[in-house]
């Protein structure tokens, strides 16, 4: 009975991670210091989760005593982990918010290359959605407003070169307006 | 400049990872440009990203290099680039634990947190609180209070969440912000509301009255945030559970009303809360079950999963409540998400009829290899439950289990299967042979030592009593040849049991034993030599004592006694009877239907409850010289729940004394109790020797006081006694908030309920795996027999339960389970009487208009037999 009753707490998310299609970690945050304290355990867990989930897009799984909701997009896999007793829909709302926000800043190109080129934006978005395991925000529009992040997309490098040639190196702050 | 071109080059190799070949040293080298003027935000941003990426990949940064990079980073606060500043905050948070002197950025962060740029304020608060400790928290307290009630939601949320993180570290400081949090809770913003509620609850959770008030307020005013609703439901159900409030309470009404909330998350949380409540009636469950039923057909996999998982829980206790959903569950058994399908099938196995079992088992075996080990364990548990419900289906199940046993799988999964097969064997004698055969096959190729030894032990116990014991010998002896030391040793023990029980097998067993005596491992050789010598004597009593029924002492206790013995050498041989007996676990191999969250904790040999008590009591000087602790009873409540003082008593029995341990809790926050003791007035010739008071009993901190009583020496049959108990103490009134007591107090007393000592307190349970052998071993020297009529008892089950709890002895040979539709039953009980005398009881029960009981008692000591017969009568 004890295992079924949930201590009321704001600490909903145990971990969140983004893997590529080989199961490599691109970003991961663990919020519960007791859950996989060492890097080795974390990576083992991620590998296990990836092996069990990458074949079928099933949205939800239960592994190593943890509820895991996930979503894939082209060559990326997004995971949100909560305890076995956690409200699955709460975890889902975190996952959706993460995915929607990223999809917006990446202009729907939710794939590995584009994500890595905008890694700082990804870090900031995760930071705005979850703080130490507490859901800070679940509305993608609010997240984007708070992050206020400008896309660094491929065509921009043409301008970078242009900037370089014209010697206008510091002028790139307004770059996105040119796009 | 050159870097830009590098980046471009990387770009051309599409699909490569720009961070892939990062070298920590190179990145730290690059970080030197943080010191250049003017600051180049783009490049600095990129380098910060690289640093965070490296940290995220698990790269180790030494303190010196981290500190160096951190200090360089602080320069970047001069730039006004928004993203760069935000990345600085992130870097501060990531490096808070690896760099030294992170507090250097306090003033910069404080400036940002109180500045005009709203975009900076929230994140700055969170970064600041990450590097702040209790002493520094005082300095920023003023800003935190302001931030909590700030009108910008992100600032308020950040402050609330950061406060919550800091509750663990500096509860006393954060506690002072409760008024601000209260104000934030009425915010219009949904997240602020949620975070404020969370913080308020954490600050007040130990004060039940405040939590109740808070719940009343919010359930009346209503909330906007679905998250806050979920939180409120959890708080309400916890409070219901703690206060054991009835289901007519307004809290239950609130939870039920949430079933009609428009947000699915809230509806599910409410349904799940109701399902998890203890003692819910079918009628109260019905609305929750029907919303879950709706969710079963949701297009969202997570919702279907949540619903079916919760229904599965309902089905464990109230299968009939879920029957209405059978059709919806049927649709889910082909769900592409195998977790959902598995849960649906296992739920149906619990609710469906016997006829559907075959079909469902077929369905599940089609995809059992695709699901994760966790769910395979769920399947096995469902099968185990099913076997108890429909014993006739055991052949189908056994077949399925043996197939599962052959598949690959982790230890937990295999253990679940083995446990399940063992429980089937014990429940259904006719399945014994097939079950044992499957297990024999399994240990032929089993990598788990624990399971192999467990099965060998079972074979040793059950094998000799099968019609053809010889066929198991080969499996067992194969282990001796092929396996690791632990398994070989277990195999030798199992062989010995065959030799001891089957005379015709004895010669061949002896031959095998002889081979084992040449084993390379000490333990295996020792066991073989020992058993060889015992078996060659061909004496029943020896076999019973040394082969069938092993040691029954507590292992940590034995270790301690032996250590003590070696410390002061004496001429006397070591007395086995001075060692405290092992307390048999109360839940004995009952097939537990655990929730799917199988605990991952490694099972270590924790000292038993009694060993802990032994240690505690030995630390009290007055109790030295009482000898080893013989038995500790379960706690007995001496007060009603919800009274001013809560007292429970644990009875510790020693060879000639009893110690009563009173665990007292003071639930009044305006009183400090001192010199607390419980005065006891015995009804018989028991003599109170000594009181040991609890010096001080502050609010809600439990304390113990003890009473030492000498048992009457002259009359060994006086085993039961009633004590009237009064708690006496000195009251000092105190300030509820500070706990500061007044200078003087007054004496007071509080009458407790009477405490009974019964025959059960003098007998320790001991499990004799082979009761027959033990019965012969004790012999009929002191045997006595008497017949009783139990007029008030209606069923055999009830009679068996009464006898066991009255005598406090251990039922053996699973004789505590009465087969259905029988009019007679034999109950075997074993125990040790205070002083170390084995005592065995055989009770023949017959049902005819009440229960007639013929009790036969054997013991090594005549008075013990008399005591037991006298107390039964």
């Amino acid at each position: 009975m004890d295992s079924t009753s949930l201590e009321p707490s704001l600490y909903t998310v145990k971990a969140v991670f983004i893997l590529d299609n080989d199961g490599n970690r691109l970003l991961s945050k663990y919020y519960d210091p007791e859950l996989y304290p060492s890097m080795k355990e974390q990576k083992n867990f991620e590998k296990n989760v990836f092996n069990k989930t990458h074949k079928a897009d099933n949205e939800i799984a239960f592994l190593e005593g943890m509820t895991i909701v996930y979503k894939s997009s082209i060559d990326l896999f997004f995971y949100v982990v909560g305890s076995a007793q956690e409200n699955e829909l709460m975890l889902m709302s975190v996952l959706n918010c993460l995915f929607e926000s990223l999809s917006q800043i990446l202009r729907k190109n939710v794939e590995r290359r584009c994500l890595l080129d905008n890694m700082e934006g990804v870090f900031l978005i995760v930071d705005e959605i979850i703080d130490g395991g507490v859901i800070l925000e679940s509305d993608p529009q609010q997240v984007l407003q708070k992050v206020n992040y400008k896309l660094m997309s491929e065509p921009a490098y043409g301008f970078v070169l242009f900037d370089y040639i014209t010697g206008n190196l510091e002028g790139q702050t307004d770059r996105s307006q040119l796009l | 400049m050159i870097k830009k071109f590098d980046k471009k080059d990387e770009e051309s190799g599409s699909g490569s990872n720009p961070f892939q070949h990062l070298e920590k040293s190179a990145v730290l080298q690059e970080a030197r440009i943080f010191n250049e003027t003017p600051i180049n935000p783009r490049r600095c941003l990129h380098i910060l990203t690289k640093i965070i990426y490296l940290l995220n990949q698990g790269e180790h940064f030494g303190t010196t290099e981290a500190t160096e990079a951190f200090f360089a980073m602080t320069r970047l606060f001069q730039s006004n680039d928004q993203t760069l500043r935000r990345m600085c905050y992130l870097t501060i948070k990531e490096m808070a634990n690896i760099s030294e002197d992170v507090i250097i950025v306090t003033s910069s962060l404080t400036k940002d947190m109180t500045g005009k740029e709203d975009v900076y304020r929230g994140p700055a608060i969170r970064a600041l609180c990450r590097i702040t400790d209790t002493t520094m928290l005082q300095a920023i307290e003023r800003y935190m209070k302001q931030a909590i009630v700030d009108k910008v939601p992100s600032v308020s949320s950040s402050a609330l969440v950061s406060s919550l993180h800091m509750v663990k570290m500096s509860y006393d400081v954060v506690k002072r912000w409760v008024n601000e949090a209260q104000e934030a809770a009425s915010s219009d913003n949904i997240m602020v509301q949620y975070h404020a509620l969370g913080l308020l609850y954490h600050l007040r959770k130990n004060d039940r009255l405040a939590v109740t008030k808070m719940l009343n307020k919010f359930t009346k005013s209503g909330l906007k945030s679905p998250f806050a609703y979920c939180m409120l439901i959890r708080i309400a159900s916890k409070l219901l559970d703690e206060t054991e409030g009835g289901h007519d309470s307004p809290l239950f009404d609130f939870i039920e009303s949430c079933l009609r909330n428009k947000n699915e998350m809230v509806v599910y949380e409410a349904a799940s809360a109701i399902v998890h409540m203890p003692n819910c009636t079918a009628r109260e469950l019905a609305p929750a079950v029907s919303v879950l039923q709706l969710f079963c057909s949701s297009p969202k996999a997570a919702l279907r999963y949540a619903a079916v998982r919760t229904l599965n829980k309902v089905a464990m206790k109230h299968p009939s409540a879920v029957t209405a959903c059978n059709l919806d569950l049927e649709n889910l058994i082909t769900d592409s998400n195998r977790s959902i399908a598995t849960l649906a099938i296992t739920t149906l196995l619990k609710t469906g009829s016997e006829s559907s079992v075959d079909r469902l088992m077929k369905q599940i075996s089609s995809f059992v290899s695709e699901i994760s080990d966790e769910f395979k364990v769920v399947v096995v548990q469902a099968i185990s439950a099913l076997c108890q419900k429909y014993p006739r289906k055991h052949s189908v199940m056994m077949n399925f289990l043996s197939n599962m046993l052959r598949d690959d799988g982790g230890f937990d999964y295999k253990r679940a299967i083995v446990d399940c097969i063992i429980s089937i064997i014990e429940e259904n004698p006719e399945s014994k042979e097939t079950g044992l055969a499957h297990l024999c096959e399994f240990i032929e190729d089993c990598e788990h030592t624990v399971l192999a030894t467990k099965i060998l032990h079972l074979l040793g116990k059950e094998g000799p009593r099968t019609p053809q014991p010889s066929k198991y010998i080969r499996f067992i002896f194969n282990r001796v040849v092929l396996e690791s030391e632990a398994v070989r040793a277990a195999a030798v023990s199992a062989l010995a049991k065959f030799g001891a029980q089957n005379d015709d097998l004895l010669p061949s067993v002896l031959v095998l034993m002889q081979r084992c005596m040449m084993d390379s491992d000490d333990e295996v050789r020792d066991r073989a030599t020992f058993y060889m010598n015992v078996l060659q004597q061909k004496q029943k009593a020896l076999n019973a004592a040394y082969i069938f029924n092993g040691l029954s002492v507590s292992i940590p206790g034995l270790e301690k006694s032996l250590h003590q013995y070696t410390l002061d050498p004496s001429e006397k041989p070591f007395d086995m009877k001075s060692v405290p007996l092992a307390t048999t676990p109360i839940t004995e191999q009952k097939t537990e239907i655990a929730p799917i969250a199988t605990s991952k904790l490694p099972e270590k040999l924790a000292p038993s409850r009694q060993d802990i008590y032994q240690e505690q009591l030995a630390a009290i000087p007055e109790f030295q010289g009482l000898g080893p602790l013989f038995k500790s009873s379960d706690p007995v409540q001496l007060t009603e729940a919800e009274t001013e003082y809560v007292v429970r008593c644990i009875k510790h029995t020693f060879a000639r004394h009893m110690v009563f341990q009173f665990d007292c809790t003071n639930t009044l926050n305006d009183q400090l109790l001192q010199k607390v003791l419980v005065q006891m007035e015995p009804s018989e010739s028991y003599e109170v020797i000594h009181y040991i008071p609890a010096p001080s009993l502050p609010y809600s901190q439990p304390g113990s006081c003890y009473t030492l009583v000498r048992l009457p020496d002259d009359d060994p049959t006086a085993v039961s006694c009633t004590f009237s108990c009064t708690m006496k103490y000195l009251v000092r009134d105190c300030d509820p908030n500070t706990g500061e007591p007044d200078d003087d107090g007054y004496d007071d007393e509080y009458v407790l309920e009477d405490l009974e000592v019964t025959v059960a307190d003098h007998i320790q349970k001991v499990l004799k795996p082979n009761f027959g052998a033990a019965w012969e071993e004790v012999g009929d020297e002191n045997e006595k027999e008497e017949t009783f009529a139990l007029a008030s008892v209606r069923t055999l089950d009830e009679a068996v339960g009464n006898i066991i709890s009255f005598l406090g002895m251990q039922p053996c040979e699973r004789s505590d389970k009465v087969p259905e539709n029988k009019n007679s039953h034999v109950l075997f009980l074993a125990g040790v009487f205070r002083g170390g005398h084995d005592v065995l009881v055989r009770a023949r029960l017959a049902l005819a208009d009440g229960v007639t009981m013929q009790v036969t008692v054997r013991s090594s000591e005549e008075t013990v037999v008399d005591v037991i017969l006298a107390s039964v009568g």
Side-chain angles (χ1 to χ4, degrees):
Chain A
M1 212 194 74
D2 298 332
S3 60
T4 52
S5 60
L6 198 59
E7 175 69 17
S9 153
L10 294 190
Y11 294 95
T12 307
V13 182
K14 296 266 183 208
V16 56
F17 44 90
I18 304 175
L19 307 179
D20 69 8
N21 58 348
D22 296 320
N24 297 316
R25 164 195 285 202
L26 299 180
L27 177 150
S28 71
K29 298 286 280 175
Y30 287 76
Y31 300 106
D32 184 350
E34 282 160 28
L35 177 77
Y36 310 119
S38 79
M39 192 57 62
K40 197 171 162 228
E41 289 167 291
Q42 292 182 3
K43 293 207 166 165
N44 272 341
F45 174 64
E46 283 160 32
K47 188 181 244 168
N48 183 18
V49 169
F50 180 76
N51 288 339
K52 292 276 164 43
T53 53
H54 76 283
K55 277 185 226 117
D57 198 4
N58 278 336
E59 199 172 299
I60 188 156
F62 185 83
L63 285 164
E64 302 191 16
M66 229 83 63
T67 304
I68 297 157
V69 294
Y70 61 102
K71 197 177 180 75
S72 67
S73 168
I74 312 179
D75 51 2
L76 289 174
F77 290 83
F78 301 85
Y79 297 89
V80 175
V81 182
S83 81
Q85 293 87 35
E86 193 49 74
N87 187 326
E88 289 84 349
L89 303 182
M90 274 177 137
L91 299 176
M92 225 32 220
S93 76
V94 174
L95 180 69
N96 286 335
C97 178
L98 174 66
F99 189 81
E100 283 299 310
S101 310
L102 288 176
S103 159
Q104 296 249 4
I105 66 156
L106 304 177
R107 308 219 166 142
K108 307 246 183 282
N109 296 319
V110 188
E111 43 102 19
R112 181 167 171 274
R113 181 75 248 212
C114 198
L115 183 99
L116 285 169
D117 282 340
N118 295 280
M119 209 55 202
E120 55 271 33
V122 182
F123 283 129
L124 291 176
I125 281 179
V126 172
D127 181 60
E128 281 297 347
I129 298 176
I130 309 154
D131 185 89
V134 178
I135 304 175
L136 200 57
E137 182 58 74
S138 67
D139 177 0
Q141 291 314 318
Q142 291 291 327
V143 172
L144 291 171
Q145 206 185 331
K146 287 181 192 172
V147 172
N148 193 15
Y149 178 78
K150 310 268 188 333
L151 177 74
M152 194 185 305
S153 63
E154 293 218 19
Y157 292 102
F159 290 97
V160 173
L161 189 60
F162 176 77
D163 288 346
Y164 169 66
I165 293 164
T166 57
N168 181 16
L169 256 177
E170 303 308 317
Q172 70 288 82
T173 32
D174 297 328
R175 184 172 45 81
S176 57
Q177 288 167 12
L178 292 170
L179 295 174
Chain B
M1 269 185 242
I2 294 165
K3 220 201 110 267
K4 290 272 154 60
F5 284 115
D6 284 352
K7 188 147 176 83
K8 195 139 175 41
D9 288 344
E10 281 168 12
E11 210 66 36
S12 56
S14 78
S16 72
N17 180 345
F19 298 103
Q20 196 155 37
H21 301 295
L22 283 186
E23 282 278 343
K24 180 180 69 176
S25 52
V27 174
L28 289 173
Q29 189 82 17
E30 280 185 308
R32 291 193 178 165
I33 69 147
F34 292 170
N35 291 317
E36 280 173 18
T37 327
I39 292 164
N40 179 339
R42 287 279 321 274
R43 288 179 63 190
C44 295
L45 182 60
H46 195 67
I47 294 164
L48 280 185
T49 312
K50 284 180 182 172
I51 292 177
I52 298 181
Y53 185 87
L54 280 177
L55 284 169
N56 209 271
Q57 289 294 322
E59 186 81 45
H60 177 73
F61 280 65
T63 314
T64 329
E65 51 190 7
T67 312
E68 205 169 296
F70 187 84
F71 274 75
M73 184 274 300
T74 56
R75 266 202 86 246
L76 301 180
F77 271 89
Q78 290 172 12
S79 164
N80 278 326
D81 185 278
Q82 266 195 16
T83 315
L84 181 61
R85 182 70 61 87
R86 300 289 312 274
M87 286 303 278
C88 285
Y89 299 148
L90 276 193
T91 319
I92 292 170
K93 288 204 270 188
E94 294 288 336
M95 287 197 158
N97 287 339
I98 47 177
S99 164
E100 287 176 334
D101 301 324
V102 284
I103 50 168
I104 196 90
V105 288
T106 304
S107 66
S108 306
L109 289 173
T110 320
K111 207 172 116 218
D112 282 354
M113 134 182 200
T114 52
K116 287 202 178 61
E117 287 266 24
D118 285 346
V119 194
Y120 291 159
R121 292 174 62 200
I125 292 173
R126 291 190 278 129
L128 181 59
C129 290
R130 182 78 179 75
I131 59 167
T132 300
D133 59 23
T134 309
T135 46
M136 280 168 49
L137 191 58
Q138 317 252 9
I140 58 161
E141 181 170 5
R142 187 163 55 96
Y143 302 121
M144 287 301 290
K145 280 183 166 182
Q146 281 167 9
I148 289 176
V149 292
D150 199 284
K151 62 182 188 310
V152 180
S154 69
V155 175
S156 181
S157 274
S158 295
L160 287 163
V161 172
S162 301
S163 311
L164 179 67
H165 295 325
M166 285 187 302
V167 168
K168 283 178 221 122
M169 183 180 78
S170 355
Y171 176 80
D172 291 325
V173 181
V174 181
K175 198 173 67 180
R176 298 201 286 258
W177 309 345
V178 75
N179 287 332
E180 282 76 15
Q182 188 83 51
E183 192 180 328
S186 44
S187 160
D188 284 341
N189 182 282
I190 57 167
M191 291 318 282
V192 173
Q193 197 175 53
Y194 170 55
H195 296 139
L197 179 66
L199 179 62
L200 281 175
Y201 176 70
H202 270 267
L203 291 175
R204 290 171 169 172
K205 62 182 169 190
N206 293 324
D207 182 352
R208 198 178 283 169
L209 196 69
V211 173
T212 318
K213 268 191 203 151
M214 186 173 89
L215 273 175
N216 279 340
K217 179 167 175 259
F218 289 119
T219 49
K220 283 210 187 75
S221 63
L223 295 159
K224 284 187 179 158
S225 156
F227 292 117
Y229 260 112
C230 292
M231 181 75 186
L232 215 50
I233 292 170
R234 285 181 202 177
I235 299 174
S237 68
K238 180 158 193 273
L239 198 64
L240 264 180
D241 188 42
E242 281 173 356
T243 56
E244 288 161 22
H247 296 160
D248 45 356
S249 125
L251 291 177
F252 186 82
D253 292 343
F254 162 70
I255 296 177
E256 200 171 33
S257 74
C258 288
L259 288 174
R260 294 182 291 277
N261 193 293
K262 58 183 187 301
N263 192 303
E264 280 171 343
M265 188 195 291
V266 179
V267 176
Y268 168 63
E269 185 73 44
S272 159
I274 293 177
V275 165
H276 285 131
M277 275 177 205
N279 333 316
C280 233
T281 62
R283 197 175 55 82
E284 285 160 341
L285 277 174
V289 170
S290 63
V291 299
L292 292 173
Q293 183 176 11
L294 278 181
F295 288 164
C296 280
S297 44
S298 159
K300 295 180 199 158
L303 195 51
R304 292 199 303 276
Y305 172 88
V308 71
R309 193 173 75 108
T310 315
L311 284 174
N312 194 3
K313 288 241 171 65
V314 186
M316 284 175 190
K317 276 198 224 141
H318 303 274
S320 55
V322 190
T323 340
C325 310
N326 276 2
L327 209 61
D328 305 82
L329 291 170
E330 288 277 353
N331 291 331
L332 293 181
I333 59 178
T334 48
D335 200 292
S336 65
N337 185 327
R338 293 311 191 196
S339 309
I340 296 177
T342 315
L343 285 168
I345 292 180
T346 49
T347 313
L348 281 171
L349 285 175
K350 290 179 195 117
T351 62
S353 61
E354 191 166 357
S355 57
S356 62
V357 168
D358 291 293
R359 184 173 55 88
L360 291 169
M361 295 304 286
K362 205 169 188 178
Q363 180 80 32
I364 202 165
S365 43
S366 68
F367 65 79
V368 76
S369 57
E370 293 172 41
I371 58 180
S372 68
D373 270 13
E374 275 85 354
F375 281 102
K376 287 181 185 166
V377 174
V378 174
V379 174
V380 175
Q381 283 168 346
I383 292 175
S384 173
L386 205 60
C387 289
Q388 292 189 332
K389 202 163 139 203
Y390 305 121
R392 271 182 295 160
K393 285 283 166 200
H394 68 80
S395 59
V396 185
M397 303 299 169
M398 197 59 102
N399 217 351
F400 183 75
L401 287 172
S402 69
N403 284 332
M404 283 175 108
L405 207 48
R406 279 184 211 116
D407 290 341
D408 290 335
F411 170 67
D412 284 327
Y413 170 47
K414 296 284 182 191
R415 188 179 55 183
I417 303 176
V418 170
D419 286 347
C420 182
I421 294 185
I422 292 177
S423 78
I424 295 179
I425 293 175
E426 286 173 346
E427 301 286 326
N428 307 283
E430 65 266 43
S431 69
K432 192 187 276 182
E433 286 208 45
T434 32
L436 288 180
H438 289 314
L439 291 177
C440 283
E441 187 193 315
F442 174 60
I443 55 169
E444 288 283 281
D445 182 22
C446 170
E447 59 195 307
H448 308 292
T449 311
V450 183
L451 292 182
T453 47
K454 186 169 185 170
I455 292 170
L456 283 169
H457 179 76
L458 179 81
L459 282 176
K461 205 172 112 205
E462 300 290 346
R465 301 186 222 176
T466 53
Q468 268 187 299
S470 58
K471 70 177 172 192
Y472 300 107
I473 300 272
R474 181 173 65 85
F475 289 103
I476 297 173
F477 193 68
N478 280 349
R479 305 277 69 70
V480 178
V481 185
L482 299 167
E483 298 278 353
S484 66
E485 294 81 12
V487 180
R488 293 207 300 272
V492 168
S493 302
L495 273 181
K497 287 182 187 160
F498 279 87
Q501 196 138 345
N502 304 85
D503 290 335
D504 45 337
L505 287 178
L506 185 59
S508 12
V509 168
L510 286 176
V511 172
L512 294 175
M513 275 297 171
Q514 219 139 26
R515 279 194 58 184
C516 298
M517 283 162 73
M518 283 172 287
D519 196 279
S520 59
D521 183 72
D522 287 351
E523 172 69 21
V524 181
R525 274 201 312 273
D526 286 354
R527 284 198 193 192
T529 316
F530 173 72
Y531 288 131
M532 182 85 183
N533 285 309
V534 173
L535 287 173
Q536 278 169 339
Q537 307 300 316
K538 295 186 185 168
Q539 284 181 22
K540 279 254 156 55
L542 280 179
N543 286 349
Y546 296 108
I547 296 182
F548 296 127
N549 302 322
L551 279 180
S552 55
V553 294
S554 124
I555 301 297
L558 178 63
E559 186 184 338
K560 225 169 283 161
S561 306
L562 284 172
H563 180 67
Q564 201 64 41
Y565 183 75
T566 52
L567 283 185
D568 35 28
S570 72
E571 290 295 302
K572 275 199 302 185
F574 180 71
D575 182 12
M576 207 58 190
K577 283 189 177 159
S578 68
V579 181
L581 294 166
T583 37
T584 37
I586 302 153
T587 47
E588 217 226 318
Q589 286 200 5
K590 284 272 146 60
T591 38
E592 272 176 52
I593 307 164
I596 31 179
T598 43
S599 69
K600 295 180 301 171
L601 295 173
E603 288 172 32
K604 46 186 172 199
L605 189 75
S608 68
R609 210 171 63 100
Q610 184 161 345
D611 292 323
I612 298 169
Y613 287 136
Q614 164 99 35
E615 198 110 304
Q616 284 172 355
L617 292 176
I620 300 171
E622 282 84 348
F623 298 151
Q624 277 166 6
L626 297 185
L629 176 60
F630 177 71
K631 179 177 184 177
S632 295
S633 73
D634 287 330
V636 184
Q637 296 291 344
L638 295 184
T639 50
E640 305 274 330
E642 302 288 317
T643 45
E644 299 96 307
Y645 312 114
V646 179
V647 180
R648 49 176 216 167
C649 177
I650 298 160
K651 298 174 269 185
H652 301 288
T653 313
F654 290 86
R656 288 200 176 78
H657 300 84
M658 285 187 88
V659 170
F660 299 92
Q661 174 184 345
F662 297 95
D663 292 338
C664 315
T665 312
N666 169 12
T667 63
L668 298 176
N669 62 0
D670 56 354
Q671 282 192 355
L672 171 72
L673 306 188
Q674 288 184 321
K675 298 182 200 152
V676 184
L677 60 85
V678 176
Q679 186 171 349
M680 302 176 76
E681 297 288 341
S683 64
E684 306 285 323
S685 56
Y686 282 49
E687 183 190 353
V688 177
I689 306 181
H690 204 77
Y691 290 110
I692 295 174
S696 160
L697 207 58
Y699 164 58
S700 85
Q701 286 174 27
S704 300
C705 59
Y706 302 90
T707 306
L708 176 61
V709 169
R710 179 159 51 215
L711 299 171
D713 278 335
D714 45 344
D715 182 12
T717 53
V719 289
S720 52
C721 179
T722 307
F723 291 90
S724 48
C725 303
T726 316
M727 182 157 84
K728 300 200 164 183
Y729 45 86
L730 177 76
V731 183
R732 291 175 75 185
D733 291 323
C734 60
D735 183 335
N737 294 322
T738 59
E740 199 63 45
D742 288 353
D743 288 336
D744 37 69
Y746 51 93
D747 285 317
D748 202 355
E749 57 180 54
Y750 188 83
V751 178
L752 304 173
E753 283 172 31
D754 288 354
L755 181 68
E756 303 264 355
V757 173
T758 61
V759 64
D761 292 317
H762 300 271
I763 300 176
Q764 178 66 282
K765 293 178 174 189
V766 172
L767 181 69
K768 298 280 184 197
N770 191 326
F771 187 83
W775 185 254
E776 293 305 321
E777 183 196 345
V778 172
D780 55 4
E781 201 177 326
N782 296 317
E783 182 180 291
K784 285 198 181 163
E785 196 168 80
E786 239 174 280
T787 309
F788 303 92
L790 310 173
S792 60
V793 184
R794 291 275 139 241
T795 64
L796 287 177
D797 264 330
E798 197 185 338
V800 167
N802 284 351
I803 299 168
I804 292 172
S805 67
F806 180 76
L807 287 177
M809 294 170 74
Q810 176 68 37
C812 296
E813 310 269 335
R814 300 181 68 79
S815 62
D816 51 332
K817 302 197 83 173
V818 183
E820 279 174 52
N821 305 328
K822 285 269 184 67
N823 288 328
S824 62
H825 183 67
V826 186
L827 174 66
F828 301 112
L829 296 171
V832 171
F833 195 79
R834 181 168 54 85
H837 307 294
D838 269 328
V839 52
L840 300 170
V841 171
R842 186 182 65 196
R844 295 180 203 268
L845 303 163
L847 180 70
D849 208 33
V851 175
T852 314
M853 171 171 80
Q854 183 194 45
V855 181
T856 316
V857 187
R858 284 185 177 190
S859 169
S860 44
E861 176 69 37
E862 194 178 354
T863 47
V864 176
V865 176
D866 294 335
V867 166
I868 292 194
L869 282 177
S871 61
V872 173

